[in-house]
């Protein structure tokens, strides 16, 4: 009974999609960081859930494009944070970045940029079933009154 009840709770947990779009690290000095493998990949974590992108060598060597989307279960959107870490080969580039999930609108994409030495990583977040609905802006046609 307890297992069934606990499983049912997990099924209804809010979810967030995180898309690892790509990285632009053209200004990174590979020698200074000991990078010999230019295959860039990203690890994304939320709680005990962990995903890794494919290793991609970018067109210019240090600008991989992944376009990979991962879905995470969220225990508490107000408290949970996700982490992202960039690697080239097995070498970690910069620090692990940590981001909260507050301020997101339900089903609305939100950009998060991650600063890393020599560039940045682009991430897109979309809460699937949490966050307020974004209000539609009404067209303000009052300027026509002056015509």
């Amino acid at each position: 009974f307890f297992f069934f009840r606990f499983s049912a709770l997990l099924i209804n947990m809010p979810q967030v999609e995180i898309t690892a779009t790509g990285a632009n690290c053209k200004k990174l000095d590979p020698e200074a960081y000991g990078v010999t493998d230019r295959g860039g990949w990203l690890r994304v974590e939320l709680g005990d859930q962990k995903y890794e992108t494919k290793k991609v060598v970018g067109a210019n060597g240090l600008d991989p494009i992944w376009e990979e989307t991962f879905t995470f279960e969220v225990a508490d959107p107000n408290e949970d944070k996700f982490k992202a870490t960039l690697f080239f080969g097995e070498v970690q580039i910069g620090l692990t970045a940590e981001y909260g999930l507050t301020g997101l609108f339900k089903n609305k994409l939100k950009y998060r940029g991650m600063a890393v030495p020599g560039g940045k990583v682009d991430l897109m977040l979309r809460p699937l079933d949490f966050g307020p609905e974004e209000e539609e802006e009404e067209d303000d046609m009052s300027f026509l009154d002056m015509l």
Side-chain angles (χ1 to χ4, degrees):
F1 175 75
F2 175 76
F3 176 75
F4 172 77
R5 188 177 182 123
F6 182 71
S7 300
L9 289 175
L10 290 178
I11 292 170
N12 294 324
M13 290 181 75
Q15 294 181 321
V16 62
E17 284 182 348
I18 300 175
T19 301
T21 305
N24 180 337
C25 299
K26 293 176 187 162
K27 295 181 181 179
L28 177 73
D29 181 357
E31 286 184 31
Y33 284 88
V35 173
T36 56
D37 179 350
R38 291 182 178 232
W41 59 282
L42 192 71
R43 178 183 298 142
V44 184
E45 303 171 72
L46 197 155
D48 60 356
Q49 304 162 84
K50 183 187 311 184
Y51 293 100
E52 296 176 352
T53 65
K54 294 179 186 93
K55 189 186 284 189
V56 174
V57 177
N60 293 326
L62 296 171
D63 55 350
I65 297 174
W66 303 293
E67 293 294 342
E68 291 186 49
T69 300
F70 307 109
T71 303
F72 292 90
E73 292 182 337
V74 178
D76 183 350
N78 294 316
E79 298 293 325
D80 284 2
K81 296 181 179 188
F82 78 93
K83 298 176 183 179
T85 311
L86 176 67
F87 296 85
F88 281 99
E90 296 305 312
V91 178
Q92 180 176 331
I93 305 299
L95 301 174
T96 297
E98 189 173 273
Y99 302 90
L101 300 174
T102 57
L104 301 175
F105 290 98
K106 184 176 179 179
N107 285 315
K108 178 84 173 163
L109 284 172
K110 177 74 174 183
Y111 172 80
R112 291 283 189 256
M114 175 180 156
V116 294
K120 67 180 177 90
V121 174
D122 298 322
L123 301 161
M124 296 298 292
L125 283 66
R126 181 195 324 260
L128 299 179
D129 45 13
F130 68 90
E133 300 278 344
E134 186 173 40
E135 293 181 21
E136 295 288 326
E137 290 185 26
E138 292 184 28
D139 290 336
D140 184 8
M141 303 297 259
S142 62
F143 71 94
L144 291 175
D145 294 342
M146 296 173 53
L147 298 177

